[in-house]
Amino acid sequence: MAFSTMPKVFKLSRNALLSMRCNNTMVTQQVLDASRKIRYALRPRGTKAGLRHRQKQPIQTILSNARTKVVKPIRNRCLVTIPRLSTNVNKLRLTGALWNARSLNGKVSSIATTLIEEKFDFLMVTETWLKSKDDPVISDILSTISGFSVHQQSRTNRRGGGVALILRSNLTVVDKTIHTFNSFESLHICIRSGSTLLRFIIIYRPPKSKKNMNSKGHFLSEFSSLLETVIPAPGNLLIAGDFNFHMNDPTSLDTSKLTDLLNSKNLQQHVCQPTHVSGHILDLLITRSSDRLLDNVGVTDVLMSDHSLVHFNVNVSRPPNVKVTRSRRNLRSINSEQLKSALSQSLSTHPTETRDVDELYTKYNATITDILDELAPVTSKTFTDKPRAPWYTKELMTLRRNVRQRERTWLRSRLEIHREIFVSARVQYYRRADEVKANYHRGRIDAADTKGLFAIVDELTGTKKTSAKILPTSVSVNELSNTF
């Protein structure tokens, strides 16, 4: 430490001050006075808040008599913990999709897995190629995945075409109307989600061919007449389908006419990405501009077809799942000796003098019912009816995850090699899904008894069971006896 010749002025080096602090060296009053003068001399001037103030920070004081600021701990007992809302907002809204299937035959497994993985509430399908309402493909869909219903309109005059709506069971169908037009096929369905009414119109306009001579001008005329009917109708309007118009080509005269028609009716078209392998926008989603019904519209090639799957969110609250109550008796738990004893005691007390068959039937039926209520009472169980596919395994979940990863890689790079890898993984996944589903039903059939076998066949073929009592009708007792 070096001192100057001036009175009461000291020159203290940084190392000297640090050594005094670390070694607890006794410091005289003169040294303290000198250190305070150095502190005040190096103290910066006050400036306005800004870049200069942030860049020039004051030098930290080594020796000081200033009081240290003590930060008081926060008293958590005075605070209220607010739980974080972890529910995703998208889960509270309806989700749907539009897809040109180019025949549903052989694609049921892929549709079921898509409905489960993507959690779609409904799927609009064009070009179903269904022949009638009793087509085996419909039974295959209902037996493959539970919790859905199928509403369709098939083409009757020739092969191909057809439109359908695969709908969740918690959405109620209010009305179903079939409009007849020459230039396009349509299905008009009104559904209710909670207190909101949705009006779905699914359209398929086949392209002009030798068998279909209807021009685009004819379609625009008939489509305009349809809009005049449905636009004033109540409910949120959604028109979806394959229009076979190149909406990505603004120079096309037909596209301009369709766009002008939609603008004149205050309608909005939401699909902005190509939906066909040729790079054109053919599948459209149309709503009223004032409704703001759809958002998050996207396109994916997860299903096998020359058209992409168009998925979207509907700004309508999703209704709760349907509660189903089923009642049953455990007849296998009945002791045969107890049943015989109860029957003998109860039937012996009933008089048999009466010749009225209806009276005897009523008494015997009531007696047997009382005995069953005592030995095997009816038990009820309520459960939530959710979409289920019992054959869907973790192996299929892994394969589908691999397909989506390959798809994202292809979308990022747009390389042909990545597209081929994605298509190969998709084909492998759907083939494996068909095998797993077939093995599942084959195992059920092999393990079933005679009664269970008939139930499985009815489920797979869509045969409706009737609970009504089928009894022969007759005019007289003699005629009934002669018939037997």
Side-chain angles (χ1 to χ4, degrees), residues 5 10 20 99 115 140 143 210-211 311 405 419-420:
T5 57
F10 299 93
M20 287 188 297
W99 180 50
L115 292 174
D140 193 7
S143 62
K210 294 181 179 180
K211 296 183 179 180
H311 56 86
Q405 291 176 355
R419 181 183 178 277
E420 293 177 358

Side-chain angles (χ1 to χ4, degrees), residues 22 45 54 86 88 117 148 170 216 308 351 369 421 424:
C22 298
R45 292 178 57 191
R54 290 193 296 268
S86 60
N88 190 358
E117 288 288 339
F148 282 87
N170 59 348
K216 293 184 178 180
S308 301
T369 303
I421 294 174
S424 176

Side-chain angles (χ1 to χ4, degrees), residues 36-91:
R36 291 192 187 97
K37 291 181 180 180
I38 294 175
R39 172 192 171 193
Y40 295 142
L42 297 178
R43 186 175 181 180
R45 292 178 57 191
T47 59
K48 295 182 179 180
L51 181 62
R52 180 183 176 187
H53 175 71
R54 290 193 296 268
Q55 290 179 348
K56 292 186 177 181
Q57 298 295 335
I59 299 175
Q60 296 182 358
T61 303
I62 299 177
L63 298 174
S64 174
N65 292 334
R67 296 180 59 186
T68 305
K69 185 177 180 181
V70 179
V71 179
K72 296 182 179 180
I74 300 176
R75 296 182 179 180
N76 296 329
R77 292 178 298 176
C78 301
L79 301 178
V80 178
T81 303
I82 302 176
R84 181 180 178 183
L85 184 63
S86 60
T87 305
N88 190 358
V89 178
N90 291 332
K91 294 182 179 180

Side-chain angles (χ1 to χ4, degrees), residues 44-181:
R45 292 178 57 191
T47 59
K48 295 182 179 180
L51 181 62
R52 180 183 176 187
H53 175 71
R54 290 193 296 268
Q55 290 179 348
K56 292 186 177 181
Q57 298 295 335
I59 299 175
Q60 296 182 358
T61 303
I62 299 177
L63 298 174
S64 174
N65 292 334
R67 296 180 59 186
T68 305
K69 185 177 180 181
V70 179
V71 179
K72 296 182 179 180
I74 300 176
R75 296 182 179 180
N76 296 329
R77 292 178 298 176
C78 301
L79 301 178
V80 178
T81 303
I82 302 176
R84 181 180 178 183
L85 184 63
S86 60
T87 305
N88 190 358
V89 178
N90 291 332
K91 294 182 179 180
L92 305 178
R93 297 185 298 173
L94 293 179
T95 57
L98 169 66
W99 180 50
N100 185 313
R102 292 278 297 177
S103 179
L104 290 176
N105 191 15
K107 301 178 182 179
V108 175
S109 301
S110 60
I111 294 174
T113 54
T114 302
L115 292 174
I116 293 174
E117 288 288 339
E118 304 298 335
K119 296 180 174 58
F120 288 142
D121 295 288
F122 59 89
L123 175 62
M124 299 174 170
V125 187
T126 59
E127 284 203 84
T128 59
W129 293 20
L130 299 179
K131 299 178 181 179
S132 64
K133 63 179 181 179
D134 299 326
D135 197 287
V137 176
I138 299 178
S139 303
D140 193 7
I141 294 175
L142 298 179
S143 62
T144 301
I145 181 172
S146 62
F148 282 87
S149 60
V150 179
H151 308 270
Q152 63 90 31
Q153 175 62 26
S154 58
R155 180 184 291 179
T156 56
N157 53 358
R158 64 182 186 274
R159 178 176 176 269
V163 291
L165 175 65
I166 304 177
L167 190 67
R168 276 281 300 271
S169 56
N170 59 348
L171 298 174
T172 306
V173 177
V174 179
D175 187 23
K176 179 179 177 181
T177 307
I178 299 175
H179 299 281
T180 303
F181 296 97

